Amino acid sequence: MDDDRWLTDQQLHAWKQLAAVVELLPGALETQLKRDSDLSHFEYFTLAMLSEAPEHTLRMTALAARTNATLARLSHVVSRLAQRGLVQRVPCPTDRRATNAVLTAEGRRTVVAAAPGHVSLVKDLVIGPLSDSDIADLDRITARILKRLDPAGHLATGIDAR
Amino acid sequence: MDDDRWLTDQQLHAWKQLAAVVELLPGALETQLKRDSDLSHFEYFTLAMLSEAPEHTLRMTALAARTNATLARLSHVVSRLAQRGLVQRVPCPTDRRATNAVLTAEGRRTVVAAAPGHVSLVKDLVIGPLSDSDIADLDRITARILKRLDPAGHLATGIDAR
């Protein structure tokens, strides 16, 4: 095997630690949201993306791209959120073939109520242990990785909307 | 709501990018391993942990901790790997109540054959776009996060075994 296929000790160590973060973080976020707000992390993220959108509305295709879901998976989740009265599905007024997802007032209340506990956990687990310069380094490093992992920038709209 | 519950713009931007990496990376790794080696990422990781262990053997409880799995989930996966002849389950010689998982010669061949494609993707997506100083920064940052996310260091044995 070609030696340069392999990683240096330092690269391997950093990679294994990143892989451990990737393995552990979703479960920690999911546990808190399920327990405190009866939402999966994906449901929370879907509601949050809608709450940040103009008029709390996004086309299903745009919402799927922003949440990294297939349209089939997103449709399933939006149906469940609609049953709980948190989201409505309405025909797009400017394109009859398209469907929009709209956050309801109850959906807005739900995401506003869920946010503090979620943000508090993000601070405890991720932001708290990092200095300001660590945050700047993390921002630079994740941007470089995302250029490879998401070259079309599907998730970037959600990121830049601050 | 208390203002200091919320994140600064820079913290939020870095967090959203990290969350996007956490969302996208597992699918990318899984797709390559499934396609090229007919292994889920979890199966690959399980085989890799055994291949790094002394005598290619670990107690099921230790393997579960290292792969961040419940014993029930790991048992299920080990059964499937055993059906494919990649792993054997044997009683622990020093503790009759415990079971060991042992990598077979075929399991070893499978993980050795799968590794180059997996490592190559890790290099493309994660290591390639980073400079040496980015790697050092990533190593420091992920270590700080893991102290919170995995305070008991369950995944650390796998990380330190280089």
Side-chain angles (χ1 to χ4, degrees), chain A residues 24-72:
Chain A
L24 293 170
L25 198 50
L29 299 176
E30 181 95 1
T31 300
Q32 182 274 323
L33 282 165
K34 271 284 175 195
R35 184 189 61 216
D36 296 342
S37 305
D38 192 23
L39 291 170
S40 71
H41 185 236
F42 185 82
E43 289 168 339
Y44 173 78
F45 195 69
T46 301
L47 297 177
M49 287 298 104
L50 287 174
S51 79
E52 288 180 6
E55 304 179 42
H56 295 169
T57 301
L58 281 172
R59 286 210 192 169
M60 288 290 286
T61 45
L63 186 54
R66 243 173 250 201
T67 56
N68 186 39
T70 60
L71 204 52

Side-chain angles (χ1 to χ4, degrees), chain A residues 62-139:
Chain A
L63 186 54
R66 243 173 250 201
T67 56
N68 186 39
T70 60
L71 204 52
R73 180 186 175 203
L74 180 68
S75 290
H76 181 72
V77 170
V78 164
S79 295
R80 252 186 306 150
L81 293 172
Q83 274 167 15
R84 290 170 66 177
L86 307 180
V87 170
Q88 267 192 313
R89 242 196 276 235
V90 297
C92 176
T94 59
D95 179 351
R96 287 183 51 211
R97 293 160 307 175
T99 302
N100 286 343
V102 186
L103 194 67
T104 64
E106 179 62 21
R108 172 78 184 150
R109 276 192 292 274
T110 299
V111 71
V112 165
H118 173 68
V119 174
S120 170
L121 183 63
V122 169
K123 287 185 95 161
D124 280 353
L125 295 178
V126 176
I127 302 298
L130 303 184
S131 69
D132 286 350
S133 86
D134 287 338
I135 294 285
D137 292 335
L138 179 62
D139 197 52

Side-chain angles (χ1 to χ4, degrees), chain B residues 9-75:
Chain B
D9 280 358
Q10 200 188 17
Q11 289 170 341
L12 185 61
H13 197 261
W15 161 243
K16 283 188 171 187
Q17 289 192 159
L18 177 63
V21 170
V22 168
E23 171 67 26
L24 293 170
L25 197 50
L29 299 176
E30 181 94 0
T31 300
Q32 182 275 324
L33 282 165
K34 272 282 176 199
R35 184 189 60 216
D36 296 342
S37 305
D38 191 24
L39 292 170
S40 71
H41 185 236
F42 185 82
E43 288 168 340
Y44 173 78
F45 195 68
T46 301
L47 297 177
M49 286 299 104
L50 287 174
S51 79
E52 289 180 5
E55 303 179 42
H56 294 168
T57 301
L58 282 171
R59 286 209 193 170
M60 289 289 286
T61 45
L63 186 55
R66 245 174 248 201
T67 56
N68 187 38
T70 60
L71 203 52
R73 180 185 175 204
L74 179 68
S75 290

Side-chain angles (χ1 to χ4, degrees), chain B:
Chain B
M1 269 177 261
D2 191 343
D3 254 6
D4 77 2
R5 274 195 203 145
W6 301 98
L7 305 178
T8 66
D9 280 358
Q10 200 188 17
Q11 289 170 341
L12 185 61
H13 197 261
W15 161 243
K16 283 188 171 187
Q17 289 192 159
L18 177 63
V21 170
V22 168
E23 171 67 26
L24 293 170
L25 197 50
L29 299 176
E30 181 94 0
T31 300
Q32 182 275 324
L33 282 165
K34 272 282 176 199
R35 184 189 60 216
D36 296 342
S37 305
D38 191 24
L39 292 170
S40 71
H41 185 236
F42 185 82
E43 288 168 340
Y44 173 78
F45 195 68
T46 301
L47 297 177
M49 286 299 104
L50 287 174
S51 79
E52 289 180 5
E55 303 179 42
H56 294 168
T57 301
L58 282 171
R59 286 209 193 170
M60 289 289 286
T61 45
L63 186 55
R66 245 174 248 201
T67 56
N68 187 38
T70 60
L71 203 52
R73 180 185 175 204
L74 179 68
S75 290
H76 181 71
V77 170
V78 164
S79 295
R80 251 187 306 151
L81 293 172
Q83 274 168 14
R84 289 171 66 179
L86 307 180
V87 170
Q88 267 192 314
R89 242 195 276 235
V90 297
C92 176
T94 58
D95 178 353
R96 288 183 50 212
R97 292 160 308 175
T99 301
N100 285 344
V102 186
L103 194 67
T104 64
E106 179 63 20
R108 173 77 185 153
R109 276 192 293 274
T110 299
V111 71
V112 165
H118 173 68
V119 174
S120 171
L121 183 64
V122 169
K123 286 186 95 161
D124 280 354
L125 295 178
V126 176
I127 303 298
L130 303 184
S131 68
D132 286 351
S133 86
D134 288 338
I135 295 284
D137 291 336
L138 179 63
D139 197 52
R140 183 187 72 251
I141 289 166
T142 49
R144 288 181 177 175
I145 294 173
L146 284 174
K147 265 199 192 164
R148 299 284 180 98
L149 201 52
D150 183 24
H154 288 306
L155 273 65
T157 320
I159 291 167
D160 291 327
R162 23 174 174 167

